[in-house]
Amino acid sequence: MPIKTILVYLPNGRTAAAILEPVVTIAAARSAHVIGLHLIPQVPEYGEFPADISEEVISRIQKAGQDAAMETKQAFEGTLQNSGLTYEWRCFSASYAAGSDAILRNAHGADLVVCGAQSEDLPDAWNDFSEIALMGGGRPVLILPTLKPQKSVARNVIIAWNDTREAARAVFDSLDLIKDAASVRAVTVIQRESERAAAEALGADLIANLTRHGITARSEVAYAGDNGAADAIVRLMGQDCDLLVMGGYSKSRFREMLFGGVSRDVLRQVPVATFVSH
């Protein structure tokens, strides 16, 4: 499906440029509409705090939230105003639960949801935005590195292919993004050599279908090694790759939190743009 509406979450002005530059490139190639989303953490009214905090402190917290929202809005509008694209700004003050609901409501009307990678260095009440949107939004999520703008997205693509429902959804959700890629590699990670034949057979059907869509791709097999599939995928992302396409949370999110999983481990690192569907 063509990408015509992009919802981009901007938690602050500092990371806005790194997120917006690739978004503008993607949107401009498709004449897509861009919606900027920012959430202000709602401060409880005086007397609701478990500790005795003065009204002055609460006022300073509220002002800091409003100032951050204004800075982020200015970064968004400053980038989009000369882009030739249509765009709009949405900002809400909300508790974590209400903000999470707002994320989902806004995601439902978009073709693609975009956000920056999680960062412990930049506090955000919705630091798990990508997981909230992915698990409940029903739309694919593009997660971008935030240290510096990524100059290209989807020129050299790696598909993490494991023949799950989530992986299949991710591949075919990404067709509009990867259709003009110079290189597409569908990589299946195996634990042992005895799994190679089955992995190659799984990849063959995918490659044939991508070919019918006009996408030239090749199938590869990689070894997980001692550190598992996630480590193998991250290694591959460092090899001339500017977009990873993968299914997210084929096991439940709760199970991955408890026992570990590929989705959780990869999404914590995100060295290049990562396109995920659930």
Side-chain angles (χ1 to χ4, degrees):
M1 181 179 69
I3 297 170
K4 288 298 181 181
T5 302
I6 300 174
L7 176 72
V8 53
Y9 174 64
L10 298 171
N12 55 68
R14 285 169 288 178
T15 59
I19 298 171
L20 288 172
E21 187 170 316
V23 167
V24 168
T25 299
I26 293 168
R30 296 160 178 82
S31 299
H33 182 69
V34 181
I35 302 170
L37 174 66
H38 179 78
L39 298 171
I40 304 171
Q42 191 174 66
V43 180
E45 295 297 327
Y46 181 65
E48 295 181 356
F49 281 100
D52 189 13
I53 300 178
S54 69
E55 290 186 67
E56 181 184 354
V57 171
I58 294 174
S59 295
R60 285 206 301 265
I61 294 172
Q62 290 173 332
K63 184 178 186 305
Q66 294 294 335
D67 289 347
M70 182 57 66
E71 177 189 19
T72 309
K73 179 183 180 183
Q74 289 173 348
F76 174 77
E77 293 181 342
T79 301
L80 272 295
Q81 65 184 357
N82 295 319
S83 67
L85 298 168
T86 61
Y87 61 91
E88 62 185 283
W89 177 251
R90 298 178 184 178
C91 181
F92 306 97
S93 177
S95 66
Y96 175 80
S100 299
D101 289 342
I103 290 167
L104 300 184
R105 288 197 308 272
N106 284 273
H108 291 160
D111 296 313
L112 177 66
V113 178
V114 182
C115 65
Q118 295 181 11
S119 172
E120 296 179 358
D121 298 329
L122 294 168
D124 173 27
W126 293 272
N127 197 35
D128 58 347
F129 176 95
S130 60
E131 295 182 5
I132 295 170
L134 181 64
M135 298 304 292
R139 313 307 302 143
V141 178
L142 178 65
I143 306 168
L144 297 168
T146 56
L147 293 179
K148 61 180 181 179
Q150 188 170 309
K151 295 304 180 183
S152 68
V153 174
R155 293 301 300 159
N156 296 291
V157 179
I158 289 178
I159 298 168
W161 181 244
N162 60 2
D163 197 39
T164 61
R165 179 187 71 84
E166 291 78 12
R169 175 75 179 270
V171 172
F172 294 101
D173 279 349
S174 74
L175 289 182
D176 187 48
L177 199 57
I178 70 172
K179 62 185 179 182
D180 297 320
S183 168
V184 178
R185 301 156 60 195
V187 181
T188 301
V189 179
I190 62 175
Q191 298 284 348
R192 55 191 66 88
E193 181 60 28
S194 60
E195 300 170 346
R196 176 178 289 276
E200 290 175 344
L202 291 177
D205 283 343
L206 175 65
I207 299 305
N209 197 357
L210 289 175
T211 301
R212 297 181 192 109
H213 283 277
I215 296 171
T216 301
R218 67 180 188 271
S219 177
E220 298 180 11
V221 174
Y223 286 100
D226 295 334
N227 296 317
D231 185 64
I233 292 170
V234 171
R235 288 200 316 270
L236 287 165
M237 292 165 79
Q239 300 175 8
D240 194 26
C241 169
D242 61 10
L243 180 69
L244 172 72
V245 175
M246 64 178 285
Y249 296 102
S250 55
K251 295 187 291 186
S252 74
R253 181 185 177 196
F254 180 69
R255 182 175 174 82
E256 289 213 6
M257 289 171 63
L258 288 179
F259 303 108
V262 174
S263 302
R264 186 200 62 178
D265 292 342
V266 170
L267 296 183
R268 280 180 172 179
Q269 301 181 64
V270 192
V272 299
T274 302
F275 183 102
V276 195
S277 290
H278 175 70

